[in-house]
């Protein structure tokens, strides 16, 4: 059995590894080769923590496992990240534990890979301006990964807490992209690709602000009640997602569905585009929207890559059970 630490995951798993793992597993999900099991998420009545499991099986990649963890709001004061998780991988032939893999860095890198996969398959090829709504922990991973998908010339950004923007600006500067903090209306008017990655419970981006041909990756909404964009914007867009069941229940489309603005049948799994079973974007003026809700199979896919790379590089700890 392997133990792969957080530090080792950061050393061995790069953005390209995560992109390929996530793209492959989205494709497997759309073919019916991989599926997520029902998610458990509970307030445990201690330390204000939310704790749960995300599990699944990828028959094509032969990856079986569970990500266990959650959110401990008091961790920051202890010098720890509030989100904590660990991935357990099992041998699908025997059920034996194969690997314990740190899940914190991998969560960020797989979430960034998810929006990147959507940009790669759905954004206009000539996209030049990247719009960022959000400036927290995930936003920096999102920016780095998105910047590799198109020949972006600059970044426009807005965050409800503007004091958080300088950290995102530092990332843009590091990767050589001019950065401008703007009002959300201007962001919508200028951006060809928009990533939303906040903890918002009300729309931050309205339909009339977004220009024709934009691609929007909604990445922050992963819980019932959360919302980042106008339900009318979702209704006006051609909508793609990682998993329809999560999209309509805890993802960005929950509000447009609840208001009767769109039907579940109007939502396409991005895996269909990856597999060549859906054309994706159909015109330069169409607005495409990806609802990235975050599925357990993404975590298992990148954890499996981490375990393989760490083992190959002699960076995993080997323990007898
Ligand atoms: P963070 O705490 O580091 O940053 C939070 C961000 O949300 C900041 O931009 C902050 O200004 C903004 N924000 C906070 N409260 C808000 C409010 N009430 N209204 C509007 N904006 C608010 O968090 P993070 O780790 O960067 O995560 C951002 C979001 O992404 C969270 O909602 C998290 O649950 C979600 N997330 C989604 C996935 C996925 O797979 N889809 C994966 C990881 C995290």
């Amino acid at each position: 059995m392997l133990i792969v630490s957080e530090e080792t995951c950061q050393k061995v798993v790069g953005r390209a590894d995560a992109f390929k793992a996530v793209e492959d597993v989205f494709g497997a999900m759309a073919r019916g080769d991989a599926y997520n099991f029902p998610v458990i998420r509970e307030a445990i009545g201690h330390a204000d923590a939310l704790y749960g499991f995300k599990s699944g099986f990828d028959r094509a990649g032969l990856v079986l496992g569970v990500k266990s963890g959650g959110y401990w709001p008091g961790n920051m004061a202890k010098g720890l990240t509030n989100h904590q998780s660990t991935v357990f991988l099992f041998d699908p032939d025997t059920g034996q534990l194969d690997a314990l893999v740190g899940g914190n860095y991998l969560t960020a890198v797989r979430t960034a890979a998810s929006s990147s996969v959507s940009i790669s398959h759905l954004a206009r090829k000539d996209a030049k301006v990247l719009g960022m709504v959000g400036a927290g922990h995930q936003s920096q991973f999102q920016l780095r990964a998105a910047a590799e998908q198109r020949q972006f010339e600059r970044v426009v950004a807005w965050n409800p807490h503007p004091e958080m923007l300088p950290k995102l600006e530092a990332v843009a500067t590091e990767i050589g992209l001019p950065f401008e903090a703007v009002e959300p209306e201007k962001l919508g008017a200028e951006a060809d690709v928009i990533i939303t990655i906040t903890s918002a419970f009300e729309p931050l981006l309205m339909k009339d602000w977004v220009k024709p041909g934009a691609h929007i990756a909604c990445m922050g909404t992963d819980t019932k009640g959360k919302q980042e964009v106008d339900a009318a914007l979702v209704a006006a867009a051609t909508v793609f997602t990682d998993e329809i069941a999560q999209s309509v229940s805890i993802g960005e489309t929950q509000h447009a569905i609840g208001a009767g603005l769109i039907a579940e049948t109007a939502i396409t799994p991005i895996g269909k585009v990856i597999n060549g079973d859906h054309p994706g974007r159909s015109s330069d003026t169409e607005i495409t929207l990806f609802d990235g809700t975050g599925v357990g199979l993404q975590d298992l896919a990148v954890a499996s890559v981490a375990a393989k790379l760490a083992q190959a590089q002699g960076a995993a700890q080997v323990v007898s059970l």
Side-chain angles (χ1 to χ4, degrees), residues 3-28:
I3 298 180
V4 186
S5 68
E6 282 289 337
E7 200 186 347
T8 299
C9 286
Q10 292 189 35
K11 277 190 197 138
V12 300
V13 180
R15 284 189 292 279
D17 303 310
F19 183 101
K20 180 162 190 334
V22 168
E23 188 181 50
D24 285 351
V25 83
F26 284 167

Side-chain angles (χ1 to χ4, degrees), residues 19 54 56 62 99 111 135 142 147 207 212 246 249 255 263 278 286 299 301 303 308:
F19 183 101
K54 280 185 168 183
L62 285 183
T111 305
Q142 292 284 330
K207 170 179 167 278
Q246 282 206 166
S249 55
H255 307 286
H278 185 286
E286 180 180 25
D299 298 296
K308 282 183 186 136

Side-chain angles (χ1 to χ4, degrees), residues 110-111 135-138 159-161 197-200 219-220 222 226 292 294:
R110 68 78 151 148
T111 305
H137 179 69
Q138 303 291 333
N159 191 51
H161 307 99
I197 183 74
T198 69
S199 311
M219 304 306 297
D222 55 2
K226 278 188 183 173

Side-chain angles (χ1 to χ4, degrees), residues 167-202:
K167 281 194 176 163
L168 190 60
E169 179 170 10
V171 174
T173 305
E174 190 194 312
I175 59 179
L177 284 174
F179 180 98
E180 188 187 356
V182 296
E183 289 306 314
E185 293 89 336
K186 183 170 169 174
L187 186 148
E190 296 191 352
D192 304 306
V193 171
I194 301 173
I195 296 176
T196 61
I197 183 74
T198 69
S199 311
F201 280 82
E202 57 189 35

Side-chain angles (χ1 to χ4, degrees), residues 51-113:
Y51 169 74
F53 316 112
K54 280 185 168 183
S55 185
F57 180 44
D58 177 359
R59 244 190 320 261
L62 285 183
V63 180
L64 175 69
V66 56
K67 175 165 105 164
S68 172
Y71 186 73
W72 277 259
N75 274 7
M76 199 80 95
K78 300 173 187 166
L80 299 169
T81 312
N82 288 352
H83 286 99
Q84 290 290 330
S85 63
T86 307
V87 180
F88 297 68
L89 295 174
F90 300 96
D91 181 337
D93 293 320
T94 64
Q96 282 200 305
L97 183 60
D98 265 347
L100 276 180
V101 185
N104 297 348
Y105 163 74
L106 292 182
T107 298
V109 87
R110 68 78 151 148
T111 305

Side-chain angles (χ1 to χ4, degrees), residues 289-309:
L289 186 146
F290 174 65
D291 185 10
T293 64
V295 293
L297 280 168
Q298 282 171 258
D299 298 296
L300 305 186
V302 289
S304 169
V305 170
K308 282 183 186 136
L309 291 174

Side-chain angles (χ1 to χ4, degrees), residues 137-149:
H137 179 69
Q138 303 291 333
S139 69
Q140 300 181 24
F141 291 86
Q142 292 284 330
L143 173 53
R144 282 182 199 279
E148 293 168 347
Q149 302 310 317

